[in-house]
Amino acid sequence: MEDPPADFGGGGGGAAAEGPVVQVADICWPAGALPVRLIEWKVKAGSLVNVDSVLALCAPIPQEKGTDGARLPEKKVKSDRAGIVKELCSQLGQVISPGGIIVRIEECSHPIVMKGLCAECGQDLTQLQSTNGNQQTPISTATVSMVHSVPELMVSSEQAEQLGREDQQRLHRNKKLVLMVDLDQTLIHTTEQHCQRMSNKGIFHFQLGRGEPMLHTRLRPHCKEFLEKIAKLYELHVFTFGSRLYAHTIAGKDLYSCCPV
């Protein structure tokens, strides 16, 4: 027979003046279960836990006289959420009554997520589903995409603000501003129409995928000299109204070598 899941007993939630709300949940022994005796901890304060992580082992206490308690199978206390163990609320050998608090867990807000996997606690968020109200689907605070080349990497607004401040401090130290430069018609010229009479010298030919049209790109006049001079004064960023794949393909190619000016 499966062990009864530990109950969620609502715990105190606290909020700092700034930053996300920290939710602390009480993991309790189910109200309808038999009393148990705590015989072994599987975690300690500060431990990272995920959904279904084993928190402790308990021995059921027989309610009828003459029952051999040693033959009753041990019960596993499992977490119903991901987070960090905040407090162990029971002592080894202590009898835990139905509804008694076993451990307190500071819930993970999942502030950094990569392809559905939380970078803080390791929880796979794609596999979490609500079941009969006993398990709440964690809602990640990671809603901001920070890296153009890795759109699956999401961070919370607080993390994004912190990264923004660090970028600002770095620019101040380097005594540089950010210069945004458009790709098309500024640095390069790209077309689907390739003139057969035109020399292939300095033209980069590529496709964005199988079945996609062939694209032909060339650096605009004096682009190389412009970039070399302006890079000493600014941190350069490029943008385009084209697709993300198009921008990454252009940025990842050594156009200096294939498109000499």
Side-chain angles (χ1 to χ4, degrees), residues 156-189:
S156 66
S157 58
E158 291 78 17
Q159 292 277 350
E161 290 175 2
Q162 177 62 30
L163 291 171
R165 287 191 292 268
E166 292 176 359
D167 279 344
Q168 188 178 51
Q169 293 168 2
R170 175 179 51 78
L171 290 170
H172 286 168
R173 288 194 302 268
N174 296 334
K175 297 182 179 180
K176 286 187 175 182
L177 295 176
V178 172
L179 180 64
M180 299 291 293
V181 184
D182 190 9
L183 272 179
D184 298 291
Q185 311 305 325
T186 303
L187 298 179
I188 62 174
H189 178 69

Side-chain angles (χ1 to χ4, degrees), residues 50 62 73 99 131 146 182 192 196:
N50 289 325
T131 56
M146 291 293 293
D182 190 9
E192 295 182 11
Q196 297 298 329

